[in-house]
Amino acid sequence: MRAPAVVTIACFGALSLAICAVPELPAQVMAPRPQTAAGAGQDSSNDLFVGVGKSVLVDSARPIQRISVGLGEFAEASAVSPTEVLVNGKSPGDTSLIIWDASGGRLFFNVRVGASTYVADDRMEALRRELRAELPGQTLKVSAENGLIFLRGTVKDLNSSNRAAQIAATAGKVMNLLYVEVPSSERQILLKVRFASVDRSLEKQLCMNIFSTGATNTIGSINTGQCSPPSVSLPSTGAPALATISNGLNLSIFRPDLNLGVTIQALETMGLVQVLAEPNVIAQNGKEASFLAGGEYPYPVVQGVSGTAAGAVTIQFKEYGIRLNFIPTITPRGTIHLQVAPEVSALDFTNAVEVSGFNVPAITIRRVQTEVELGEGQSFAIGGLLDNNETKTFEKIPFLGDIPILGRFFQSIQKTRNNTELIVIVTPEFIDPIPVGAPLPQLKFPDKFLPPNSDIPMHNPDTKTAGAAPPPPQPTAVPVEQLIQSMQPEPPLVISGGSYMGQGSQGSSQATPPNPTPVLTTGAPQ
C-alpha cells in the first residue's frame, strides 16, 4: 500500500493569523484518513475553512500534479510551489478542493468560505450608530446571524419600532423581536350636534260665489272654482228651490225677497313647526359612531310579478328620525378631524302613495355630509338652509271679472307662503370617563320612579374580598406584533332584521329569514 500523504495547513501571512484568532470561526483541517490504493475506493475528505479575503496554505508531502476547485465564485486555489497550494476566499459559500499528487494519490477538501468578520463588524457598528442617533435613550440590541438582522430591546411606541426596522433593513432581512411600551389610553371624543329647524306656513284665500234660487226666474250659481259653491236644486214641481252650503266657514248673505245669495270665503291660515335635537355621541379616536332617534316604517315591495300572476308582497322597514354618523380623528396638531353626516327625516303623509292597497308615506329629509377640522370646544355651523316659497293663484270669470269695482265679486285669490330655516352646529370635545365613586347622571323624573324590588343595591359582585387573589399586574411592555393586533379595528356590529312576505291575492303570510343589515350606515333611508 502507498503511504498516505502528509498535509500541513498553515495560516498565510498576517491576514491569515487574524482568521485563526476568531473564536467562532476557527481555521482547521481534519487529519486525513488513510487512503487505499488508487481505484480501490472512495478517497477521504477533509474540512477546510477560510474567510472572505483571507488565504490558507495547504502543504503536501509529495509533489502536486493537479488541483481543482468546484465553484470558483466562492474560492480559488493555485500552486505556489511543487508541494504547496494557496486557497483564497472570495465570497461566503461552500465548495470543494481536489489535489492530485505525482504518485496518483488524491486529497479531497470540503472548503467553507465564511464572511469577513471585519466587514460584518463594521456594518453592525454603523447600524448601531444610526439607531442611537435616531432613537436616543431607547435600549436596542442588534445582532447578525446567517444574513439575518435581529432587533431586540424595548422602544417607546410603534413609530420607534417601525423606524428601527427600516434602519436595520439596510443591512439585511430583519427579525423584529422588539417590545413596545404599553401606551396610555387614547382620548375619547364627545361630539355635540344641534339641529334647529323652523317651518312656517301662511295661506290666504279670498273668493266669492253668487247663487240664485229664482231671481229673474233663474236658478243657478256663478263661481270661480277655488271655493266650493252652494248647490242649488229644485226638489219637486212647485216647491221652492233649495241652496245647500257645504262649507261652514263661509260668510253667506241671502235675500229672500230677491231669491239671491252670496257666499264669501276669506280665510288666513298660519302654521308653525319647530324641531330642536341635540344628540351627543362619544367615540374613540378613528372609530365610527352612530346615533338614531326615530323609528322604522314598513312599506310593501311587490316581487315575482309574471304576466297576469299576482306577485308576492314583501314588507320591508326603513329608518327615519334624527341620525348622526361621524368618525373623529386626532391630528398631530392636536385638532380633531371630523367626518360627519347628520340627518333629520320625517314621514310625510301628504305626499303618500298607494301600493297594492298599502298607504306608503313619503319622507322629508334634511341632510349634511362633510369633513371639517376643529380644535377642542370649537364649533362649526356645518349646514344652513333658508327656503322661501310663495305660490299665488288668481282666477276670475271672463268679462265679468274685468268690470271695474264690481269685477272683484267675480274673482278669487289664493296665496300660500312657506318658509323653512335649518341650521346644524357641531362641537367636538375631549372627554374622560366618570371617576369611580362619582355620582352618575340621572334623569329628572316628573313623578316618583318605580321603587327597587329589594334592599340590596344592584352592582357587580365585589371582588375585593378578604383572601382574594390580587389582579395580575399590568404589563409595561408587550411584543410589537401583539400591540399591533390589539389596535386592529373590531368588526362592526350587525343587527339582524326580519321581513314578512304575503301573497297579494290570497292574503297569506310567510316569514322569511332575517336579512342582516349593518348598524353603521350613512345616508337617508333608501
Side-chain angles (χ1 to χ4, degrees), residues 7-31:
V7 180
T8 304
I9 306 300
C11 294
F12 185 79
L15 294 178
S16 296
L17 291 175
I19 282 187
C20 296
V22 179
E24 65 273 17
L25 298 174
Q28 58 179 344
V29 177
M30 296 180 62

Side-chain angles (χ1 to χ4, degrees), residues 26-84:
Q28 58 179 344
V29 177
M30 296 180 62
R33 294 188 291 268
Q35 301 184 25
T36 59
Q42 176 66 38
D43 297 293
S44 63
S45 61
N46 305 283
D47 293 334
L48 180 65
F49 177 82
V50 62
V52 175
K54 310 299 181 181
S55 300
V56 171
L57 187 62
V58 179
D59 291 336
S60 176
R62 297 184 181 89
I64 298 172
Q65 184 179 12
R66 185 159 56 97
I67 59 176
S68 175
V69 177
L71 295 175
E73 61 267 22
F74 294 148
E76 63 180 1
S78 59
V80 295
S81 72
T83 59
E84 294 177 329

Side-chain angles (χ1 to χ4, degrees), residues 18 42 62 66 128 135 221 272 302 382 421 490 509:
Q42 176 66 38
R62 297 184 181 89
R66 185 159 56 97
R128 293 186 181 97
L135 305 172
S221 63
L272 177 62
V302 181
I382 63 172
E421 299 177 17
E490 298 290 340
S509 62

Side-chain angles (χ1 to χ4, degrees), residues 135 138 154-166 176 178-183 186 478-488:
L135 305 172
Q138 304 190 47
T154 304
V155 293
K156 296 179 179 178
D157 48 35
L158 283 178
N159 290 335
S160 300
S161 173
N162 295 334
R163 179 165 294 188
Q166 292 175 355
N176 192 343
L178 292 173
Y179 276 68
V180 182
E181 295 180 1
V182 176
E186 285 191 314
V478 295
V480 59
E481 59 272 8
Q482 181 179 344
L483 181 60
I484 293 177
Q485 183 179 3
S486 67
M487 298 175 64
Q488 295 297 323

